[in-house]
Every structure is written in C-alpha cells, then in structure tokens.
C-alpha cells in the first residue's frame, strides 16, 4: 500500500480539480457581459419629459395586481390597485415584464435600471455590492433621489461616476423583519418622500435642483417582498400591501403633480424586480417569479386605447384572460427593455452596457423622436458589439467574425446609412424597422462572441473529467482491488512526461497569444496531468486486462459495470423527476429481498419485511410536491413518531449500552445509567421541539413578531441537541470511550432530530423518521450479507473488534470486490435521496424560508440561508454516520469505498456539464447551473461526509464477521 500521503495527495488533487472545474461553466456559459470603452449615444432632440419617477414594488407578481380579487368576507369582487388600474385604462401603456434568473432583488434592479443581465457569479457579492462597475440610468441622470432599502440603494450610488449625483434615503436593516407586517417599510418610504418634497420649500438650492431636467426619483417598496416571504403572496398581508402601495403611489403622484404645478412634464414607471412563488420564495425561474407588472404613464408615454367591446386586444394569452383587461393591448417587454424606455423619456445617454430593446409602442412622441430614439438604442448596442469584435480580432489566432454582420447588405455602416437616410426623408417606419433589425443582429453577434470559445473549452473540460475518472480508478485498482503484485510504472517515463509538457506548452502558448484568463491554463493543466499519469501506468492497465482475461465469469464484471453506469444515468434523470426515487424504492422493497442468499431470507424474515415496508413508505415522499404550505399537524405527527422511537430505543438501550472496561462494577453501572439517561434527555428534547416549533409558529402568525422568549428557547434547544453528539462519545469528548455502534447511531439520530423538527413546517419530520429507519435497516442487511459471505467462504480477516483503529492485515487484507459496487451505489443513492427527499436542493427556493422564522425573522440572507442549509444537510449527517459504521463493519480500508464512489460520480457531472443551458426558459437555465454545481461539488461533499462520519461515530465497538468467526472457532 502506498503511504497515506499519496492517498491524501489524490484527495487534495481531486478537491482542487473539482473546485477549479466548477468555475468552468462561468467561463464557458456565463462570462460577464460587460465591456468598456464604448462611446455614449443619446437623442439630440428635446425629450418629452423633464423628470422620471420610478416605483419598484419588490416581489410583486404580475397576476396579483392585475387580476380582480374576490373578497370572501364581503362576497364582492374588487380591484387591489384601483389607482394604477385606472391609469392603465385611461392614460398608460402596460404589460408584463419578463425577468431572468436569478430572480433576486439585485439582478432585477440592475436589469431594469442598467439594462443588462448580470452573470450569476455576482451571487458571491450577495447581490448587493457591485462585482463590476456598470453604467445605469441613475448614473446618466443629472441627479437621482432614491428612497428605500439598504439592500438595494447603495449599489447604484456607489456605481455612479459622481457619487454626489445619487442621494439615498434608507431605513435601518432591522426594519426588515419577516414576522411583522412589511407595509411599514413602504409607509416609511412614502412618508420620507412627502417630507422631502415639503422640505424643498425652505431649501432654495434643493428647490432649484428639483426643477432641473433629466432628474430621477426612485422609490423602492420592499413591503410586498417582506410580506410574501413572511405570509405568502396569497395572504391578506400581501394583498392588503398591494392596496397600501396603490394608495401610497396615488398620494405621492398627487403631491408630485402639485409640486410641479401639473406641468405635464413627469413620466411615471411602475414595475417589480421579481415575482413571488406561492411558497413565499423566489430566486429560480418559475413563472410566478419571472412575470412582473409594468405600467407607464405621464409625459411621453402612449395611451392604450380600448378595442371594440367583445374583441380581444393584441398581446393577451391564457395568463391574462382572467384580468378583465382584454380590451387594452398588453405590451410585454423583457426586463432590460425598461432602461432604454426610461432613458428615452427624459433624453439621457443610453446606459453603456444596456442590451435592452427600446419598446417603441410605449412612446407617445413625435415620429422623428421615436425613430432617433430607436437609432440611439441601436448605436449603443452596436458599440458593445464593436468592442467585443475588436477584442477577439486582436487576440484570436484564427479569428472568425460573426457572419451575418459581415454580409454586404448587413454591414453596420451600410445599415446606419440606410437608417439615417430613412429619417432624413421622413420614412420613420422604415427607420424603426431597420433599427430593430440592427439591434437584433448585434445582440446575436454579442451572443456569438460570448460563445466563441465554447467548443475548445468544453472539449478540454470533458477530457479533464474523463482523465480524473481514469486516474482515480487506476489508483483504486492498485491500492484496493488487485491482490497480486502490482507492476511498476512504465519505463518510458521521460518521453511520456515530455509529450505531456509539449501538449501543455502548445495550449499555453495559444492562450497567451489570445490573452486568455488564467483559469484557462488551469483547465488544460489537469487533463494533461491526468492522462500523462494514465500513460505512465500502462503496465498496470495491461495487468488489469490480463487478470480479467483469466476470470472464469467474464460477463459478471461487465454486467455489474453496465448496471452501475445505468444507475448513475438514472440518478441523472432523477434530478429532473423525483419520481425515479419512488420507483427505485419500490424495486428495492420487492427485488432485493428476493436476491439475497436463501440463508439470509430464512434467518432474517422480519428484517427483510421491515425493509420492504419502510422502503415503500419512503417512496411516498418523492411523489409529494416540493411546494408545501404549513401543516403543523404533520410536524407534530413526525415529531411524535421520532419521540416514540427514542423512548423505544431508551427502553431497549440496556442491550447496547456498554460499560467502560476496567472499572469497578458500581462505576460501570453508573456509566451505563448515564449513557441511557443521555438517550432519554435527547428524546425529551425532540418532544420539546415538537411542541415548541408549532407553538412559536402560532405566536408569530398572530403578527405580533417573534416572541423573544420563544426565540431564546428555540435557539437553546437547537444548540444543545446539536452539540450533544460531538461532546458525548466522539473523539472530541474528554471522557470518550468505546460505545456500541447502535448506541452511537441512536444518539446521532436523536440529536439531529431535534433541530430538524424545529425547522420543519410540513411532512419533513415524517421523512426524517422513515428515512432514518431505512438507513438503519440497510446497515443491518449489509452486515448480515457480509457475515453470511464470510462464513460461506471462510475469508474473514484476522479477528479484530475495535474497528475504529482497523487497518488491512498484511497477511490477508480485505480487498474491494464486485459486491462492494452495490454498497457504493446504495450509498450514492441514499445521498441523492437526502438531496431530493423533501425538496429540490438544486433550488433553495423549494425549501421554504418559513422554516427559519422560529429562530430569526429580521432579514439576513446569509444567516437565513445558513439555517436552511443546516436543515437540508441533517439527513446527510445521518447517512454519513451509517456509512461510516458500515465501512468498518465490512472491514474495508478507510476511505476505500468513499474513494470508489467519489471517482465514479463524475459520470453524472459530465452529463450535467453538457446539460448546462444559457438559453431557453429561465427555470431550465437556473436548474441546469444548480445541477452541475451539485454534482461537481460531490467530491468535496463526499470527503466532508467521510470526515464527519469519523467525527460523529467516534470510538465504537462493532462485532465483525472476523470476530464472530473467531468465536465460532
């Protein structure tokens, strides 16, 4: 066996490799769209408006404001936003603004105000501060006054070329409390705005500034987002907040019109940054999150005249048929189109990075102004295309331009000449049509250059993943599979290494010539290293082939390998359809008991019967929807079952609670009593959590905020129970001693049940109980199968009971066999079930934030996400502990089975790499990114699970096949 450092070195390489390649999708699919060095463009004609007022109702779904609301109390149908809908019918243009993933506040505001879609890597900045500098409508304005949340306003102030150009008025972060009614946040904004306007009467300088042209007022209204998270978008709090926003906007519009003496020079835009799913979450590409309202009225905005009664105006579909707005044309836009609309209304320079298309149907201006606005929009997008074109032209060795814009009739210079000529001859329709065509071609050209390196990079990354699989599998064969002498590496070391260096030098030279990012060198270094090592191990490959040729049943390894790969592919499909796990559990319930040896079926009928029953129960959970509302009855039922199981374990604990060795009988009895008491205490904590969680939710639901005493109690119970398994019986405890493996697993099960129940809002605690039972039964069956095999073949290792210190015997080491592939795939299966048992971990939006409201309600995205992730990871803690005990029960060398699973799961990663999308529905794009990241991080996650299993399991006594056989002899 090679030294432990070699194994640790392999793991270190694996971690670095997967972390580096995780970034590859951002270099390939989601590179930052921003370029610099463009010349600004604007319309050199008087704009229709002097000032712009932008309202952003954070978290407002389009359907919630447009559709009539049936009041169950009064029995009447009413409009939640009568003022805005009156504007819609009399003087506005309106529609649905379609957002992109991630449907978070920062990306939504950037798209609407700056006109471009951020790359998803901005999440590392918390969606707040600027990962890169960008231009915006606020930056191009003469002055902007913004009112609202400290989560949004600072990023536009910090991004302004002149920091004094954007003034911010913000409330404190402690205002954002999900347990209270969020409309107080909007009240603060409206009150502050009224006070601001009133103060202008006594401040001549401010009064003069407010009467300049090209100024912007921005009102960020966070109440709807807060109430959507806290009470769901169908709640009275959310619906009443829409009424509150509508009334507040009505009063503020009246104040602004009076302040400006109704001069008709104000343009108003009302929209939202993202929507809100019925679960009270957002972030992914669900239509409820991507469809937001857009209503514009005032100076320069076209009025939507109704069509004749009985007719349906253009733009409507099944989504809007219930809104009673069929007579008014629905003018949908992409969210980035809002920025050029606002720019055109007050005559600003178009934001330099804007990729929005000016929605001409929203404008009520002169024909020439519309046409010249469309031209300025096209010129701004063309500027970005030219910068990217020139960058590639000067760096690429074999440059290929974007063909459609290099055809004689589509050359940008010729198209601009035709547009200018059409405007000069007053053929404005032709000019607008040509502008839209130029914008479309330039956007496609920008996309072409975004994808320019796709083929090369995807090929390198694919070869890298395949190289890792081959490299790690050869290590496993050398160290854990082959029992005969392993041949040394190839004698032709020097030529092979030189060839690898030559290949790397060729790619490095090309990347240097092209000015490629540093990560490109990393991407190519890994496949060169892996495949060079594979070539150096050709004698080992030949040895494996020779050993296979001498195998009697050659079909068996092929069948097992094909089945293993087939199961991996099935797990890939399960990421898209959770019902695959239900089918798998049904097969495990029926088929596996039939395939075990007859002796096991005869000796363990009860065990196999329980296995079948609990597998069928577990299969139900992956058929349930991930969208779930509060169901305190299910919470209590799950907690009660866990509590009862804890009491049952306590009553039987005398059978698996071991006294410390070498101590007097009385002290031994006291130690056993203390250990049994620990189980009882943990059980009681589960019971307390079962009552405390729903009670806290009920108190919070009364809209009085999170009671301080309840919050303190919840935190105390959670922290105490979570720390117990680490301080009692693990390697960290001062009085740590050997414990029976069943005792240790029971304490881990109960310890993490408490926080899980505390963070449960529906059927999750029932899942935890059933899933834990399946894991324990799996452990028992695997142990029974291994013992039966050891007795049958008389191949048990040297007797050894204390397996926490197990090392393979030099005389007769335990090697990985084909049957261990089953154990590895079962572990992988249970890890995936932990991922998808109660939700879709590819989207945290499928796990309700309401889970954390018993502990924290003041908005803190990182603290809330940490608690939510802790809840999601709890099933993994349990499966890692069970697998750690199983690995020792099977008398395998440490990490051998983990490493086997780790080296083969990249079959799934390669699948997800090619399934990553940057087009199509935003739901598909977001999910494809998440799937790849989850699979790519599985290596790191597996290592963490292995370390965690050792930390949690600690020192345990496990009766092994070898010890039992020794007793029989």
């Amino acid at each position: 066996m090679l030294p432990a450092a070699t194994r640790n070195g392999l793991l270190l390489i694996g971690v670095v490799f997967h972390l580096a390649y995780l970034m590859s999708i951002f270099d390939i699919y989601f590179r930052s769209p921003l370029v610099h060095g463009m010349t600004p463009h604007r319309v050199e004609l008087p704009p229709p408006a002097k000032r712009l007022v932008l309202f952003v109702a954070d978290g407002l779904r389009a359907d919630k404001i447009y559709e009539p609301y049936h009041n169950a109390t009064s029995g009447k149908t009413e409009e939640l936003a009568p003022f805005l809908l009156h504007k819609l019918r009399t003087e506005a243009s309106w529609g649905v603004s379609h957002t992109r993933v991630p449907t978070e506040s920062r990306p939504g505001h950037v798209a609407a105000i700056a006109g471009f879609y951020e790359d998803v890597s901005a999440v590392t900045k918390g969606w707040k501060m600027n990962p890169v500098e960008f231009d915006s409508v606020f930056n191009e304005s003469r002055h902007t006054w913004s009112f609202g949340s400290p989560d949004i306003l600072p990023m536009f102030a910090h991004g302004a070329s002149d920091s004094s150009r954007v003034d911010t008025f913000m409330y404190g972060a402690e205002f954002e409390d999900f347990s209270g009614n969020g409309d107080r946040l909007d009240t603060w904004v409206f009150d502050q705005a009224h006070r601001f306007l009133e103060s202008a009467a006594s401040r001549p300088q401010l009064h003069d500034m407010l009467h300049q042209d090209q100024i912007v007022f921005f009102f960020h209204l966070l109440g709807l987002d807060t109430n959507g998270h806290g009470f769901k978008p169908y709640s009275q709090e959310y619906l009443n907040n829409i009424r509150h926003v509508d009334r507040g906007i009505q009063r503020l519009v009246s104040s602004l019109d009076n302040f400006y003496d109704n001069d008709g020079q104000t343009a108003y835009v009302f929209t939202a940054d993202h929507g809100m799913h019925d679960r009270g979450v957002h972030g992914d590409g669900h239509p409820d999150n991507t469809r937001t309202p857009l209503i514009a009225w005032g100076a320069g905005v076209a009025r939507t005249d109704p069509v004749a009664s009985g007719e349906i105006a253009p733009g409507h579909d099944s989504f809007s048929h219930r809104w009673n707005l069929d007579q008014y044309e629905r003018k949908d836009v992409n969210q980035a189109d809002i920025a050029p609309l606002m720019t055109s209304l007050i005559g600003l320079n178009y934001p330099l990075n804007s990729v929005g298309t000016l929605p001409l149907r929203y404008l009520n201006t002169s024909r020439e102004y519309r046409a010249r606005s469309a031209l300025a929009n096209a010129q701004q997008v063309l500027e970005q295309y030219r910068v990217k074109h020139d960058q590639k032209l000067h760096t690429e060795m074999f440059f290929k331009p974007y063909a459609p814009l290099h055809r004689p009739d589509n050359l940008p210079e010729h198209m601009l000449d035709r547009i200018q000529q059409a405007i000069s001859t007053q053929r404005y329709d032709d000019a607008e049509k040509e502008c839209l065509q130029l914008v479309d071609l330039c956007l496609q050209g920008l996309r072409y250059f975004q994808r320019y390196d796709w083929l090369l990079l995807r090929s390198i990354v694919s070869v890298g993943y395949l190289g890792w699989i081959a490299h790690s599998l050869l290590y496993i064969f050398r160290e854990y599979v082959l029992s005969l002498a392993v041949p040394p590496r190839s004698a032709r070391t020097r030529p092979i290494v030189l060839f690898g260096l030559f290949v790397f030098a060729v790619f490095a030279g090309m990347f240097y010539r092209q000015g490629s990012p540093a990560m490109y060198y990393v991407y190519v270094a890994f496949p060169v290293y892996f495949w060079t090592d594979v070539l150096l191990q050709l004698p080992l490959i030949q040895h494996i082939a020779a050993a296979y040729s001498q195998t009697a049943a050659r079909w068996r390894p092929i069948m097992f390998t094909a089945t293993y790969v087939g199961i991996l592919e099935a797990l890939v499909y399960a990421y898209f359809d959770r019902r695959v796990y239900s089918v798998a559990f049904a097969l495990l319930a029926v088929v596996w008991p039939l395939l075990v040896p007859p002796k096991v079926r005869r000796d363990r009928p009860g065990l196999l019967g329980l296995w079948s029953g609990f597998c069928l129960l577990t299969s139900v959970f992956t058929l349930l929807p991930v969208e779930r509302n509060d169901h305190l009855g299910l919470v209590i039922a799950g907690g009660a079952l866990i509590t009862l199981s804890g009491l049952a374990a306590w009553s039987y604990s005398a059978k698996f609670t071991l006294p410390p060795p070498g101590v007097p009988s009385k002290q031994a009895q006291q130690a056993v009593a203390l250990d049994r008491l620990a189980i009882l205490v943990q059980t009681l904590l589960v019971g307390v959590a079962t009552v405390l969680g729903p009670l806290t939710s009920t108190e919070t639901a009364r809209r009085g905020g999170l009671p301080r005493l309840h919050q303190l109690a919840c935190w105390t119970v959670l922290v105490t129970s979570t720390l117990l398994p680490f301080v009692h019986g693990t390697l960290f405890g001062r009085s740590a001693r050997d414990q029976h493996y069943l005792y240790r697993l029971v304490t881990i099960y109960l310890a993490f049940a408490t926080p899980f129940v505390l963070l449960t809002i529906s059927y999750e605690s029932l899942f935890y109980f059933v899933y834990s039972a399946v894991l324990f039964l799996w452990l028992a069956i695997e142990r029974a199968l291994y013992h039966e095999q050891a007795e049958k073949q008389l191949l048990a290792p040297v007797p050894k009971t204390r397996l926490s210190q197990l090392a393979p015997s030099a005389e007769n080491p335990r090697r990985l066999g084909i049957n261990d592939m089953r154990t590895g795939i079962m572990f992988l299966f249970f890890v995936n079930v932990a991922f998808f048992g109660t939700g879709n971990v590819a989207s945290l939006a499928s796990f309700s934030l309401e889970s954390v409201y018993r502990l924290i309600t003041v908005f803190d995205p990182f603290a809330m996400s940490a608690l939510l992730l802790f809840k999601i990871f709890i099933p993994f803690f349990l499966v890692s502990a069970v697998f750690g005990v199983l690995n020792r029960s099977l008398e395998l060398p440490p990490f051998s089975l983990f490493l086997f699973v780790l080296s083969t799961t990249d079959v799934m990663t390669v699948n997800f790499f090619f399934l990553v999308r940057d087009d199509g529905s935003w739901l598909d794009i977001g999910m494809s990114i998440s799937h790849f990241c989850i699979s790519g991080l599985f290596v790191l996650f597996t290592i963490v699970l292995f370390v965690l299993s050792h930390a949690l399991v600690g020192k345990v006594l496990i009766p092994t096949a070898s010890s039992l056989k020794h007793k029989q002899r």
Side-chain angles (χ1 to χ4, degrees), residues 778 822-832 879-880 883 897-898 901 938 942 945:
W778 173 51
R822 181 199 66 237
T823 308
I825 199 66
M826 289 284 284
F827 167 69
L828 183 59
F829 171 73
F830 281 119
V831 168
N832 279 269
V879 73
S880 67
F883 193 68
L897 209 51
F898 272 101
V901 174
F938 191 82
T942 303
L945 286 181

Side-chain angles (χ1 to χ4, degrees), residues 911-923:
N911 277 270
F912 290 126
F913 176 72
F914 283 98
L915 289 172
V916 172
R917 301 180 59 180
D918 68 340
D919 57 4
S921 79
W922 303 119
L923 176 62

